[in-house]
Amino acid sequence: MTTSEVFKKSFGWMESAHCEDADPELFFEAETNHQAIAEAKHICSGCGVKDQCRDWAIRYQEKGVWGETTLSQRKLLRKQYAKCPKAVLDYMARRLYREHEEALQKL
């Protein structure tokens, strides 16, 4: 099994992403190309896993368009999360942990 396959099995939500078959360069060129930002966000707009995608990118400080957000938008969200009450952050952490555990059980 390739590293990519292990990664996909660990994070099953990624397999449901609308961008699964899109050119990845579109999403990473997007930081400097306004047309690419619009195209990437359009692909994300109807995606059923864009919240998980955005949360992933916020947590791991990914570059490019993830979950219909750019890096600069996620930096603002990260600042807002830093002001969140501890209970909200705990809930988000438990949700991410639970999703990770469920993904590992599928391996």
Side-chain angles (χ1 to χ4, degrees), residues 21-47:
D21 297 321
D23 179 6
E25 291 298 317
L26 174 68
F27 294 86
F28 295 99
E29 288 177 9
E31 287 301 317
T32 57
N33 179 331
H34 294 290
Q35 183 176 353
I37 290 171
E39 289 179 40
K41 284 185 168 188
H42 178 73
I43 292 170
C44 296
S45 67
C47 184

PDB file of all heavy atoms in Angstrom, residues 21-47:
ATOM      1  N   ASP A  21     -10.874  14.596  -7.756  1.00  0.00           N
ATOM      2  CA  ASP A  21     -10.423  14.378  -9.129  1.00  0.00           C
ATOM      3  C   ASP A  21      -9.941  15.663  -9.814  1.00  0.00           C
ATOM      4  O   ASP A  21      -9.630  15.648 -10.991  1.00  0.00           O
ATOM      5  CB  ASP A  21     -11.552  13.750  -9.949  1.00  0.00           C
ATOM      6  CG  ASP A  21     -11.933  12.375  -9.416  1.00  0.00           C
ATOM      7  OD1 ASP A  21     -11.026  11.622  -9.015  1.00  0.00           O
ATOM      8  OD2 ASP A  21     -13.138  12.065  -9.386  1.00  0.00           O
ATOM      9  N   ALA A  22      -9.902  16.761  -9.068  1.00  0.00           N
ATOM     10  CA  ALA A  22      -9.467  18.040  -9.643  1.00  0.00           C
ATOM     11  C   ALA A  22      -7.943  18.129  -9.640  1.00  0.00           C
ATOM     12  O   ALA A  22      -7.266  17.406  -8.911  1.00  0.00           O
ATOM     13  CB  ALA A  22     -10.060  19.193  -8.844  1.00  0.00           C
ATOM     14  N   ASP A  23      -7.435  19.029 -10.443  1.00  0.00           N
ATOM     15  CA  ASP A  23      -6.001  19.273 -10.504  1.00  0.00           C
ATOM     16  C   ASP A  23      -5.556  19.949  -9.211  1.00  0.00           C
ATOM     17  O   ASP A  23      -5.989  21.066  -8.911  1.00  0.00           O
ATOM     18  CB  ASP A  23      -5.687  20.170 -11.698  1.00  0.00           C
ATOM     19  CG  ASP A  23      -4.214  20.507 -11.835  1.00  0.00           C
ATOM     20  OD1 ASP A  23      -3.383  19.959 -11.067  1.00  0.00           O
ATOM     21  OD2 ASP A  23      -3.884  21.315 -12.715  1.00  0.00           O
ATOM     22  N   PRO A  24      -4.706  19.324  -8.408  1.00  0.00           N
ATOM     23  CA  PRO A  24      -4.282  19.910  -7.134  1.00  0.00           C
ATOM     24  C   PRO A  24      -3.594  21.263  -7.294  1.00  0.00           C
ATOM     25  O   PRO A  24      -3.666  22.106  -6.403  1.00  0.00           O
ATOM     26  CB  PRO A  24      -3.323  18.889  -6.539  1.00  0.00           C
ATOM     27  CG  PRO A  24      -3.330  17.713  -7.420  1.00  0.00           C
ATOM     28  CD  PRO A  24      -4.099  18.033  -8.644  1.00  0.00           C
ATOM     29  N   GLU A  25      -2.940  21.473  -8.417  1.00  0.00           N
ATOM     30  CA  GLU A  25      -2.247  22.747  -8.639  1.00  0.00           C
ATOM     31  C   GLU A  25      -3.211  23.928  -8.566  1.00  0.00           C
ATOM     32  O   GLU A  25      -2.839  25.009  -8.110  1.00  0.00           O
ATOM     33  CB  GLU A  25      -1.522  22.741  -9.987  1.00  0.00           C
ATOM     34  CG  GLU A  25      -0.349  21.793 -10.030  1.00  0.00           C
ATOM     35  CD  GLU A  25       0.726  22.154  -9.017  1.00  0.00           C
ATOM     36  OE1 GLU A  25       1.041  23.354  -8.871  1.00  0.00           O
ATOM     37  OE2 GLU A  25       1.245  21.239  -8.364  1.00  0.00           O
ATOM     38  N   LEU A  26      -4.446  23.726  -8.987  1.00  0.00           N
ATOM     39  CA  LEU A  26      -5.446  24.784  -8.940  1.00  0.00           C
ATOM     40  C   LEU A  26      -5.603  25.316  -7.518  1.00  0.00           C
ATOM     41  O   LEU A  26      -5.682  26.519  -7.296  1.00  0.00           O
ATOM     42  CB  LEU A  26      -6.790  24.262  -9.455  1.00  0.00           C
ATOM     43  CG  LEU A  26      -7.978  25.214  -9.336  1.00  0.00           C
ATOM     44  CD1 LEU A  26      -7.802  26.401 -10.272  1.00  0.00           C
ATOM     45  CD2 LEU A  26      -9.269  24.481  -9.647  1.00  0.00           C
ATOM     46  N   PHE A  27      -5.600  24.437  -6.545  1.00  0.00           N
ATOM     47  CA  PHE A  27      -5.835  24.811  -5.159  1.00  0.00           C
ATOM     48  C   PHE A  27      -4.612  25.444  -4.507  1.00  0.00           C
ATOM     49  O   PHE A  27      -4.733  26.170  -3.535  1.00  0.00           O
ATOM     50  CB  PHE A  27      -6.297  23.596  -4.351  1.00  0.00           C
ATOM     51  CG  PHE A  27      -7.635  23.111  -4.810  1.00  0.00           C
ATOM     52  CD1 PHE A  27      -7.742  22.225  -5.876  1.00  0.00           C
ATOM     53  CD2 PHE A  27      -8.789  23.564  -4.211  1.00  0.00           C
ATOM     54  CE1 PHE A  27      -8.973  21.800  -6.316  1.00  0.00           C
ATOM     55  CE2 PHE A  27     -10.030  23.151  -4.642  1.00  0.00           C
ATOM     56  CZ  PHE A  27     -10.120  22.274  -5.711  1.00  0.00           C
ATOM     57  N   PHE A  28      -3.433  25.164  -5.033  1.00  0.00           N
ATOM     58  CA  PHE A  28      -2.224  25.713  -4.436  1.00  0.00           C
ATOM     59  C   PHE A  28      -1.694  26.926  -5.184  1.00  0.00           C
ATOM     60  O   PHE A  28      -0.923  27.695  -4.637  1.00  0.00           O
ATOM     61  CB  PHE A  28      -1.164  24.625  -4.278  1.00  0.00           C
ATOM     62  CG  PHE A  28      -1.620  23.587  -3.288  1.00  0.00           C
ATOM     63  CD1 PHE A  28      -2.164  22.393  -3.706  1.00  0.00           C
ATOM     64  CD2 PHE A  28      -1.559  23.851  -1.933  1.00  0.00           C
ATOM     65  CE1 PHE A  28      -2.626  21.456  -2.787  1.00  0.00           C
ATOM     66  CE2 PHE A  28      -2.025  22.924  -0.999  1.00  0.00           C
ATOM     67  CZ  PHE A  28      -2.554  21.730  -1.443  1.00  0.00           C
ATOM     68  N   GLU A  29      -2.125  27.127  -6.422  1.00  0.00           N
ATOM     69  CA  GLU A  29      -1.814  28.353  -7.150  1.00  0.00           C
ATOM     70  C   GLU A  29      -2.702  29.483  -6.649  1.00  0.00           C
ATOM     71  O   GLU A  29      -2.411  30.652  -6.838  1.00  0.00           O
ATOM     72  CB  GLU A  29      -2.086  28.183  -8.647  1.00  0.00           C
ATOM     73  CG  GLU A  29      -1.117  27.298  -9.368  1.00  0.00           C
ATOM     74  CD  GLU A  29      -1.514  27.127 -10.832  1.00  0.00           C
ATOM     75  OE1 GLU A  29      -2.429  27.823 -11.299  1.00  0.00           O
ATOM     76  OE2 GLU A  29      -0.909  26.279 -11.485  1.00  0.00           O
ATOM     77  N   ALA A  30      -3.767  29.096  -5.997  1.00  0.00           N
ATOM     78  CA  ALA A  30      -4.820  30.035  -5.648  1.00  0.00           C
ATOM     79  C   ALA A  30      -4.386  31.169  -4.739  1.00  0.00           C
ATOM     80  O   ALA A  30      -5.027  32.204  -4.705  1.00  0.00           O
ATOM     81  CB  ALA A  30      -5.986  29.284  -5.007  1.00  0.00           C
ATOM     82  N   GLU A  31      -3.318  31.031  -3.998  1.00  0.00           N
ATOM     83  CA  GLU A  31      -2.912  32.091  -3.079  1.00  0.00           C
ATOM     84  C   GLU A  31      -2.524  33.375  -3.813  1.00  0.00           C
ATOM     85  O   GLU A  31      -2.625  34.457  -3.256  1.00  0.00           O
ATOM     86  CB  GLU A  31      -1.757  31.626  -2.188  1.00  0.00           C
ATOM     87  CG  GLU A  31      -2.172  30.645  -1.125  1.00  0.00           C
ATOM     88  CD  GLU A  31      -3.247  31.173  -0.167  1.00  0.00           C
ATOM     89  OE1 GLU A  31      -3.179  32.337   0.276  1.00  0.00           O
ATOM     90  OE2 GLU A  31      -4.173  30.403   0.119  1.00  0.00           O
ATOM     91  N   THR A  32      -2.090  33.258  -5.049  1.00  0.00           N
ATOM     92  CA  THR A  32      -1.651  34.445  -5.783  1.00  0.00           C
ATOM     93  C   THR A  32      -2.466  34.712  -7.043  1.00  0.00           C
ATOM     94  O   THR A  32      -2.287  35.734  -7.677  1.00  0.00           O
ATOM     95  CB  THR A  32      -0.170  34.295  -6.190  1.00  0.00           C
ATOM     96  OG1 THR A  32      -0.018  33.103  -6.958  1.00  0.00           O
ATOM     97  CG2 THR A  32       0.733  34.232  -4.967  1.00  0.00           C
ATOM     98  N   ASN A  33      -3.363  33.826  -7.396  1.00  0.00           N
ATOM     99  CA  ASN A  33      -4.102  33.935  -8.646  1.00  0.00           C
ATOM    100  C   ASN A  33      -5.595  34.024  -8.332  1.00  0.00           C
ATOM    101  O   ASN A  33      -6.214  33.039  -7.942  1.00  0.00           O
ATOM    102  CB  ASN A  33      -3.774  32.701  -9.500  1.00  0.00           C
ATOM    103  CG  ASN A  33      -4.489  32.677 -10.818  1.00  0.00           C
ATOM    104  OD1 ASN A  33      -5.582  33.206 -10.965  1.00  0.00           O
ATOM    105  ND2 ASN A  33      -3.866  32.037 -11.783  1.00  0.00           N
ATOM    106  N   HIS A  34      -6.179  35.201  -8.523  1.00  0.00           N
ATOM    107  CA  HIS A  34      -7.579  35.416  -8.152  1.00  0.00           C
ATOM    108  C   HIS A  34      -8.548  34.539  -8.946  1.00  0.00           C
ATOM    109  O   HIS A  34      -9.565  34.099  -8.412  1.00  0.00           O
ATOM    110  CB  HIS A  34      -7.949  36.888  -8.294  1.00  0.00           C
ATOM    111  CG  HIS A  34      -7.216  37.761  -7.319  1.00  0.00           C
ATOM    112  ND1 HIS A  34      -7.465  37.738  -5.971  1.00  0.00           N
ATOM    113  CD2 HIS A  34      -6.211  38.650  -7.499  1.00  0.00           C
ATOM    114  CE1 HIS A  34      -6.666  38.581  -5.360  1.00  0.00           C
ATOM    115  NE2 HIS A  34      -5.873  39.144  -6.259  1.00  0.00           N
ATOM    116  N   GLN A  35      -8.222  34.246 -10.193  1.00  0.00           N
ATOM    117  CA  GLN A  35      -9.079  33.365 -10.979  1.00  0.00           C
ATOM    118  C   GLN A  35      -9.021  31.943 -10.417  1.00  0.00           C
ATOM    119  O   GLN A  35     -10.037  31.264 -10.315  1.00  0.00           O
ATOM    120  CB  GLN A  35      -8.665  33.357 -12.446  1.00  0.00           C
ATOM    121  CG  GLN A  35      -9.578  32.504 -13.310  1.00  0.00           C
ATOM    122  CD  GLN A  35      -9.226  32.568 -14.784  1.00  0.00           C
ATOM    123  OE1 GLN A  35      -8.381  33.348 -15.207  1.00  0.00           O
ATOM    124  NE2 GLN A  35      -9.877  31.736 -15.575  1.00  0.00           N
ATOM    125  N   ALA A  36      -7.839  31.501 -10.036  1.00  0.00           N
ATOM    126  CA  ALA A  36      -7.698  30.170  -9.442  1.00  0.00           C
ATOM    127  C   ALA A  36      -8.442  30.095  -8.110  1.00  0.00           C
ATOM    128  O   ALA A  36      -9.061  29.076  -7.800  1.00  0.00           O
ATOM    129  CB  ALA A  36      -6.224  29.818  -9.254  1.00  0.00           C
ATOM    130  N   ILE A  37      -8.397  31.173  -7.316  1.00  0.00           N
ATOM    131  CA  ILE A  37      -9.139  31.204  -6.051  1.00  0.00           C
ATOM    132  C   ILE A  37     -10.618  30.992  -6.323  1.00  0.00           C
ATOM    133  O   ILE A  37     -11.271  30.169  -5.677  1.00  0.00           O
ATOM    134  CB  ILE A  37      -8.923  32.536  -5.301  1.00  0.00           C
ATOM    135  CG1 ILE A  37      -7.502  32.627  -4.756  1.00  0.00           C
ATOM    136  CG2 ILE A  37      -9.927  32.692  -4.161  1.00  0.00           C
ATOM    137  CD1 ILE A  37      -7.149  33.995  -4.184  1.00  0.00           C
ATOM    138  N   ALA A  38     -11.144  31.723  -7.290  1.00  0.00           N
ATOM    139  CA  ALA A  38     -12.570  31.616  -7.623  1.00  0.00           C
ATOM    140  C   ALA A  38     -12.921  30.206  -8.099  1.00  0.00           C
ATOM    141  O   ALA A  38     -13.945  29.638  -7.698  1.00  0.00           O
ATOM    142  CB  ALA A  38     -12.945  32.652  -8.673  1.00  0.00           C
ATOM    143  N   GLU A  39     -12.091  29.617  -8.960  1.00  0.00           N
ATOM    144  CA  GLU A  39     -12.344  28.268  -9.470  1.00  0.00           C
ATOM    145  C   GLU A  39     -12.273  27.231  -8.348  1.00  0.00           C
ATOM    146  O   GLU A  39     -13.123  26.342  -8.264  1.00  0.00           O
ATOM    147  CB  GLU A  39     -11.347  27.918 -10.567  1.00  0.00           C
ATOM    148  CG  GLU A  39     -11.572  28.675 -11.854  1.00  0.00           C
ATOM    149  CD  GLU A  39     -10.548  28.327 -12.912  1.00  0.00           C
ATOM    150  OE1 GLU A  39     -10.182  27.141 -13.038  1.00  0.00           O
ATOM    151  OE2 GLU A  39     -10.101  29.252 -13.614  1.00  0.00           O
ATOM    152  N   ALA A  40     -11.258  27.347  -7.505  1.00  0.00           N
ATOM    153  CA  ALA A  40     -11.102  26.388  -6.408  1.00  0.00           C
ATOM    154  C   ALA A  40     -12.275  26.498  -5.431  1.00  0.00           C
ATOM    155  O   ALA A  40     -12.841  25.487  -5.010  1.00  0.00           O
ATOM    156  CB  ALA A  40      -9.780  26.625  -5.683  1.00  0.00           C
ATOM    157  N   LYS A  41     -12.658  27.723  -5.097  1.00  0.00           N
ATOM    158  CA  LYS A  41     -13.785  27.918  -4.183  1.00  0.00           C
ATOM    159  C   LYS A  41     -15.086  27.406  -4.788  1.00  0.00           C
ATOM    160  O   LYS A  41     -15.954  26.894  -4.077  1.00  0.00           O
ATOM    161  CB  LYS A  41     -13.923  29.385  -3.798  1.00  0.00           C
ATOM    162  CG  LYS A  41     -12.888  29.831  -2.790  1.00  0.00           C
ATOM    163  CD  LYS A  41     -13.168  31.262  -2.367  1.00  0.00           C
ATOM    164  CE  LYS A  41     -12.353  31.656  -1.169  1.00  0.00           C
ATOM    165  NZ  LYS A  41     -12.757  32.972  -0.653  1.00  0.00           N
ATOM    166  N   HIS A  42     -15.228  27.541  -6.102  1.00  0.00           N
ATOM    167  CA  HIS A  42     -16.426  27.026  -6.768  1.00  0.00           C
ATOM    168  C   HIS A  42     -16.510  25.503  -6.615  1.00  0.00           C
ATOM    169  O   HIS A  42     -17.580  24.964  -6.353  1.00  0.00           O
ATOM    170  CB  HIS A  42     -16.438  27.422  -8.242  1.00  0.00           C
ATOM    171  CG  HIS A  42     -17.612  26.899  -8.983  1.00  0.00           C
ATOM    172  ND1 HIS A  42     -18.886  27.406  -8.811  1.00  0.00           N
ATOM    173  CD2 HIS A  42     -17.731  25.881  -9.870  1.00  0.00           C
ATOM    174  CE1 HIS A  42     -19.726  26.731  -9.576  1.00  0.00           C
ATOM    175  NE2 HIS A  42     -19.052  25.804 -10.231  1.00  0.00           N
ATOM    176  N   ILE A  43     -15.392  24.832  -6.761  1.00  0.00           N
ATOM    177  CA  ILE A  43     -15.367  23.371  -6.579  1.00  0.00           C
ATOM    178  C   ILE A  43     -15.740  23.023  -5.135  1.00  0.00           C
ATOM    179  O   ILE A  43     -16.496  22.097  -4.875  1.00  0.00           O
ATOM    180  CB  ILE A  43     -13.984  22.793  -6.957  1.00  0.00           C
ATOM    181  CG1 ILE A  43     -13.764  22.928  -8.468  1.00  0.00           C
ATOM    182  CG2 ILE A  43     -13.854  21.331  -6.520  1.00  0.00           C
ATOM    183  CD1 ILE A  43     -12.364  22.608  -8.934  1.00  0.00           C
ATOM    184  N   CYS A  44     -15.231  23.797  -4.185  1.00  0.00           N
ATOM    185  CA  CYS A  44     -15.502  23.552  -2.761  1.00  0.00           C
ATOM    186  C   CYS A  44     -16.947  23.864  -2.372  1.00  0.00           C
ATOM    187  O   CYS A  44     -17.470  23.280  -1.417  1.00  0.00           O
ATOM    188  CB  CYS A  44     -14.602  24.425  -1.887  1.00  0.00           C
ATOM    189  SG  CYS A  44     -12.843  24.107  -1.987  1.00  0.00           S
ATOM    190  N   SER A  45     -17.581  24.794  -3.072  1.00  0.00           N
ATOM    191  CA  SER A  45     -18.844  25.369  -2.604  1.00  0.00           C
ATOM    192  C   SER A  45     -19.927  24.340  -2.298  1.00  0.00           C
ATOM    193  O   SER A  45     -20.656  24.500  -1.330  1.00  0.00           O
ATOM    194  CB  SER A  45     -19.353  26.413  -3.592  1.00  0.00           C
ATOM    195  OG  SER A  45     -19.713  25.806  -4.813  1.00  0.00           O
ATOM    196  N   GLY A  46     -20.040  23.306  -3.086  1.00  0.00           N
ATOM    197  CA  GLY A  46     -21.089  22.317  -2.841  1.00  0.00           C
ATOM    198  C   GLY A  46     -20.588  21.035  -2.193  1.00  0.00           C
ATOM    199  O   GLY A  46     -21.305  20.049  -2.122  1.00  0.00           O
ATOM    200  N   CYS A  47     -19.370  21.069  -1.703  1.00  0.00           N
ATOM    201  CA  CYS A  47     -18.751  19.860  -1.157  1.00  0.00           C
ATOM    202  C   CYS A  47     -19.308  19.530   0.231  1.00  0.00           C
ATOM    203  O   CYS A  47     -19.389  20.403   1.097  1.00  0.00           O
ATOM    204  CB  CYS A  47     -17.241  20.041  -1.093  1.00  0.00           C
ATOM    205  SG  CYS A  47     -16.376  18.559  -0.541  1.00  0.00           S
TER     206      CYS A  47
END
